[in-house]
């Protein structure tokens, strides 16, 4: 490790005084002008992680659904997954180190993780379309090169594409070619194969309006569309040619405001979807004949996908272990439909993609989606091999179902939630099942719900268990919630502390909006009284409150680091 060179380069990427940042679920995120030193240092850290794992590591420059003036960075681990928690701590430690401590911190991390500094390192870099991203990714490259790492700069990519490339590079091509072309070809081939088997080929069926949030999704979908155009025609809106990234458009905007993005005219019953700024989330929506807006969020996407997978398994005659992973924010109707109608087991984890992904890996087939539209399906290696075999050996109907499942497996990006991949999966399933968007929406009706927040002196007084669905402290709070829930039909409620501010989140659902509103208010009063509420007592009336459709932005601007409900 050439400590002299590191010190010299580090001074060119100096840390602003007093700035403290935290590596969260989504990496680092803040105003772009505060990130130069962080990018340089994440280049250094990626080299250390690469040497330690003897694998390619990814660095993605993006701030996802945040405003255009923000930016961020996250590291991608060898199998395309999120950075290991112990290394998240190293990232925070390194990003916040003062200039004079840089050498000591790097040696510290290397010793703690037993990094062989003689080992070769390889880092792949991708970035989104923000004006600040190109310069910031150059700072990452400076960090990689000063520590003697090799790199490949893939330039403009969606976040899931970088995850996919890292996965491919570290599995010797078993998962696919580690190029953007390889990604397009693998997904499109699977999609076209699937849609060939669809009996309905009505024109309106195969066209889709896509809001690209004025982000990278538009560029990549344009590059890719000629590969799959025989199976689907896409019409792109908010493609970055004029509007600002994520401004009045994108999955986060549509979900939180319960209305279509700006710049998209929707006729009744037309199928539409929105990506977020780095194309790792997707939500669907349509207007009914009366002009009412209907949102189809991650819960309904997971339901469509898992139901279809279950049907294929039944057809093939395989009894594999399939599970759906949700968080406490998933609508109770979706859980009930999956468990009672589809007979698919549902598991609940703490909020945050990494918790869902980790749990989904426990099944032969694990499907996970957050309500915000971030999710995918994971298939164990044994299942992939078994299905491949079935597609070659079985007869007639069973063989056809096995072949479908083989293509569906290829169509998922198993490294991360991916709007493009998920869109193609959904379109293929709707075509194969002959479902309209309204029929999909009608699988079940969401229970009315309400989210509120309560300011408290110290959020740490609230601790939870059972995937955040039950309060352990303060004493008496969970009992109070239980008593309140008993008053309403089909009701449930839970509270959890914010990850970023002294606020407690309250979620309630019941058989009517009025009941959900009352329950949420009564629970927030209990929180105020038992958990040290400050300021004005919670008032009934919901002008400032949010329904669950606003999960990502439900509680004011939050912090730049939030990717899910913090």
């Amino acid at each position: 490790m050439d400590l002299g060179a590191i010190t010299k380069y580090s001074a060119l990427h100096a840390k602003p005084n007093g700035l403290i940042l935290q590596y969260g679920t989504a990496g680092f995120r803040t105003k772009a002008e505060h990130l130069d030193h962080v990018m340089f240092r994440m280049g250094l850290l990626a080299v250390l992680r690469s040497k330690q794992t003897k694998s390619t590591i990814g660095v993605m420059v993006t701030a996802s659904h945040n405003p255009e003036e923000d930016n961020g960075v996250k590291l991608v681990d060898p199998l395309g997954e999120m950075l290991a928690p112990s290394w998240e701590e190293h990232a925070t430690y390194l990003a916040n180190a003062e200039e004079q401590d840089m050498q000591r911190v790097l040696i510290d991390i290397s010793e703690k993780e037993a990094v062989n500094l003689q080992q070769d390192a390889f880092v792949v870099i991708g970035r989104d379309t923000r004006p600040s991203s190109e310069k910031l990714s150059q700072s990452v490259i400076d960090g990689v090169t000063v520590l003697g790492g090799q790199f490949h700069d893939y330039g403009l990519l969606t976040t899931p594409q970088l995850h996919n490339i890292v996965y491919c590079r570290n599995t010797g091509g078993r998962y696919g070619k580690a190029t953007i072309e390889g990604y397009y070809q693998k997904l499109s081939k699977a999609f076209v194969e699937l849609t060939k088997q669809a009996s309905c080929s009505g024109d309106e069926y195969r066209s889709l309006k896509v809001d690209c949030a004025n982000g990278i999704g538009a560029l990549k979908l344009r590059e890719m569309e000629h590969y799959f155009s025989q199976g689907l025609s896409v019409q792109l809106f908010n493609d970055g040619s004029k509007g600002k990234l994520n401004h009045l458009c994108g999955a986060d905007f549509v979900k939180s405001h319960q209305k279509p993005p700006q710049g998209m005219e929707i006729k009744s019953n037309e199928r539409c979807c929105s990506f977020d700024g780095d194309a790792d989330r997707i939500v669907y929506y349509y207007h009914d004949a009366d002009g009412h807006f209907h949102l189809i969020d991650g819960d309904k996407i997971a339901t469509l996908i898992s139901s279809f997978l279950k049907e294929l398994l039944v057809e093939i005659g395989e009894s594999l272990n399939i599970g759906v992973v949700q968080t406490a924010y998933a609508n109770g109707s979706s859980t009930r439909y999956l468990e009672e109608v589809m007979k698919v087991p549902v598991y609940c984890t703490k909020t945050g993609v990494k918790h869902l992904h980790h749990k989904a890996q426990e099944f032969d087939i694990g499907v996970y989606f957050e309500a915000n539209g971030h999710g995918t399906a994971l298939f164990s290696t044994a299942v992939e091999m078994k299905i491949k075999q079935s597609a070659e050996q079985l007869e007639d109907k069973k063989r056809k179902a096995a072949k479908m499942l083989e293509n569906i497996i290829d169509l998922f990006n198993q490294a991360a939630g991916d709007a493009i991949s998920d869109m193609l999966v959904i379109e293929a399933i709707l075509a194969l099942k002959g479902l309209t968007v309204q029929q999909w929406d009608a699988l079940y009706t969401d229970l009315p719900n309400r989210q509120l927040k309560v300011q408290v002196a110290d959020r740490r007084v609230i601790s939870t268990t059972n995937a955040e669905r039950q309060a352990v402290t303060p004493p008496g709070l969970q009992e109070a919630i239980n008593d309140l829930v008993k008053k309403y039909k089909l009701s449930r409620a839970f509270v959890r502390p914010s990850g970023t501010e002294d606020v407690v989140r309250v979620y309630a659902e019941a058989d009517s909006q009025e009941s959900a509103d009352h329950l949420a208010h009564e629970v927030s009063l209990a929180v105020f009284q038992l958990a040290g509420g400050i300021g004005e007592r919670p008032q009934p009336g919901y002008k400032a409150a949010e329904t669950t459709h606003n999960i990502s932005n439900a509680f004011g601007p939050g912090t730049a680091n939030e990717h899910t409900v913090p």
Side-chain angles (χ1 to χ4, degrees), residues 533-563:
I534 55 171
E536 201 184 340
R537 283 166 66 84
Q539 299 297 314
Y542 297 96
K543 285 193 185 72
E546 309 287 352
T547 65
T548 194
H549 307 310
N550 196 351
I551 278 186
S552 308
N553 280 15
F555 311 103
T559 72
N561 245 346
E562 294 172 13
H563 199 55

Side-chain angles (χ1 to χ4, degrees), residues 3 207 249 272 284 348 361 399 450 459 480 502 534 566:
L3 295 173
S207 82
C249 59
C272 308
Y284 269 70
C348 190
Q361 288 171 321
R399 184 193 178 115
R450 179 67 68 196
R459 66 182 182 272
D502 284 322
I534 55 171

Side-chain angles (χ1 to χ4, degrees), residues 342-485:
M342 292 311 302
K343 306 287 185 241
V344 174
V346 178
Y347 300 84
C348 190
T349 70
K350 284 161 69 171
T351 306
V353 178
K354 59 185 170 193
H355 301 298
L356 291 126
H357 192 91
H358 187 67
K359 183 71 184 171
Q361 288 171 321
E362 294 176 16
F363 306 98
D364 293 336
I365 301 175
V367 179
Y368 73 85
F369 270 83
E370 291 188 293
N372 64 27
H374 185 285
T376 187
L378 308 180
F379 302 83
S380 72
T381 312
V383 164
E384 290 194 22
M385 285 165 65
K386 194 180 249 189
I387 298 304
K388 236 180 200 57
Q389 234 172 1
S390 301
E392 284 159 19
Q393 294 168 359
L394 293 173
E395 297 299 318
D396 306 335
K397 265 184 143 179
K398 287 189 171 192
R399 184 193 178 115
K400 188 181 172 189
K403 192 76 199 134
M404 272 188 199
L405 190 48
E406 191 181 18
N407 281 315
I408 282 273
I409 291 171
D410 277 347
L411 196 43
F412 275 109
N413 181 346
Q414 295 186 55
D418 181 338
I420 293 176
S421 153
D422 291 337
M423 174 191 84
L424 293 175
V425 168
I426 291 162
E427 290 301 313
I429 294 174
L430 292 176
L432 286 162
K433 288 179 70 71
L435 284 176
T436 64
V437 68
Q438 306 90 299
Q439 287 168 322
W440 172 22
D441 189 29
L443 286 177
Y444 61 82
T445 305
D446 277 335
L447 282 168
N449 49 73
R450 179 67 68 196
Q451 287 190 48
L452 301 174
K453 63 178 182 178
V454 181
Q455 283 205 298
V456 291
D458 181 0
R459 66 182 182 272
R460 290 170 300 184
V461 302
I462 299 253
S463 61
T464 64
T465 185
N466 187 15
E468 304 176 314
R469 290 175 293 184
Q470 284 182 296
V472 178
T473 59
L477 179 58
Q478 188 57 48
E479 290 75 11
I481 294 170
N482 294 347
D483 288 343
L484 292 168
V485 164

Side-chain angles (χ1 to χ4, degrees), residues 166-176:
V166 172
Y167 195 9
C168 291
R169 289 190 75 105
N170 289 317
T171 47
R174 185 181 67 77
Y175 189 65

Side-chain angles (χ1 to χ4, degrees), residues 180-488:
I180 193 66
E181 219 46 40
Y183 168 93
Y184 293 153
Q185 285 167 355
K186 180 184 173 185
L187 266 62
S188 302
K189 180 171 174 283
F191 178 72
V192 170
E193 286 291 313
L194 280 163
T195 49
K196 272 184 195 159
Q197 297 179 327
S199 48
C200 48
S201 51
D203 243 347
E204 94 288 349
Y205 225 78
R206 299 303 175 80
S207 82
L208 175 68
K209 290 187 165 176
V210 186
D211 156 35
C212 298
N214 289 317
I216 183 70
L219 289 182
K220 297 298 153 184
L221 211 44
R222 279 252 152 80
E223 288 175 6
M224 186 181 182
E225 65 181 320
H226 69 274
Y227 287 101
F228 63 71
S229 54
Q230 68 188 89
L232 175 71
S233 124
V234 290
Q235 217 183 328
L236 307 190
F237 296 84
N238 299 313
D239 63 357
S241 53
K242 41 184 192 293
K244 267 179 85 170
L245 177 71
N246 295 324
H247 182 61
L248 303 177
C249 59
D252 209 51
F253 171 84
V254 171
K255 180 147 177 56
S256 28
H257 292 84
Q258 286 292 292
K259 64 181 185 187
Q262 231 183 27
M264 188 195 266
E265 285 297 312
I266 306 181
K267 296 193 188 82
S268 73
N269 298 325
E270 266 186 331
R271 233 171 33 260
C272 308
C273 69
S274 284
F275 294 179
D276 70 335
D278 64 340
D280 67 353
R281 295 181 183 188
I282 184 170
V283 294
Y284 269 70
Y285 44 93
Y286 68 97
H287 273 154
D288 63 22
D290 298 327
H292 293 134
F293 177 84
H294 292 254
L295 177 80
I296 299 178
D297 65 5
D299 294 342
K300 241 168 209 167
I301 293 171
T303 304
L304 179 76
I305 289 168
S306 51
S307 303
F308 185 68
L309 294 174
K310 173 88 188 276
E311 286 163 15
L312 287 182
L313 291 175
V314 169
E315 184 74 59
I316 298 164
E318 283 289 359
S319 57
L320 296 173
N321 163 17
I322 180 169
V324 176
V325 189
Q326 298 181 326
T327 70
Y329 286 100
N331 195 279
S333 289
S334 70
T335 314
R336 212 166 279 125
Y337 177 82
L338 284 164
E339 290 182 330
E340 294 172 15
V341 180
M342 292 311 302
K343 306 287 185 241
V344 174
V346 178
Y347 300 84
C348 190
T349 70
K350 284 161 69 171
T351 306
V353 178
K354 59 185 170 193
H355 301 298
L356 291 126
H357 192 91
H358 187 67
K359 183 71 184 171
Q361 288 171 321
E362 294 176 16
F363 306 98
D364 293 336
I365 301 175
V367 179
Y368 73 85
F369 270 83
E370 291 188 293
N372 64 27
H374 185 285
T376 187
L378 308 180
F379 302 83
S380 72
T381 312
V383 164
E384 290 194 22
M385 285 165 65
K386 194 180 249 189
I387 298 304
K388 236 180 200 57
Q389 234 172 1
S390 301
E392 284 159 19
Q393 294 168 359
L394 293 173
E395 297 299 318
D396 306 335
K397 265 184 143 179
K398 287 189 171 192
R399 184 193 178 115
K400 188 181 172 189
K403 192 76 199 134
M404 272 188 199
L405 190 48
E406 191 181 18
N407 281 315
I408 282 273
I409 291 171
D410 277 347
L411 196 43
F412 275 109
N413 181 346
Q414 295 186 55
D418 181 338
I420 293 176
S421 153
D422 291 337
M423 174 191 84
L424 293 175
V425 168
I426 291 162
E427 290 301 313
I429 294 174
L430 292 176
L432 286 162
K433 288 179 70 71
L435 284 176
T436 64
V437 68
Q438 306 90 299
Q439 287 168 322
W440 172 22
D441 189 29
L443 286 177
Y444 61 82
T445 305
D446 277 335
L447 282 168
N449 49 73
R450 179 67 68 196
Q451 287 190 48
L452 301 174
K453 63 178 182 178
V454 181
Q455 283 205 298
V456 291
D458 181 0
R459 66 182 182 272
R460 290 170 300 184
V461 302
I462 299 253
S463 61
T464 64
T465 185
N466 187 15
E468 304 176 314
R469 290 175 293 184
Q470 284 182 296
V472 178
T473 59
L477 179 58
Q478 188 57 48
E479 290 75 11
I481 294 170
N482 294 347
D483 288 343
L484 292 168
V485 164
K486 283 177 196 158
K487 293 164 55 179
Y488 302 96

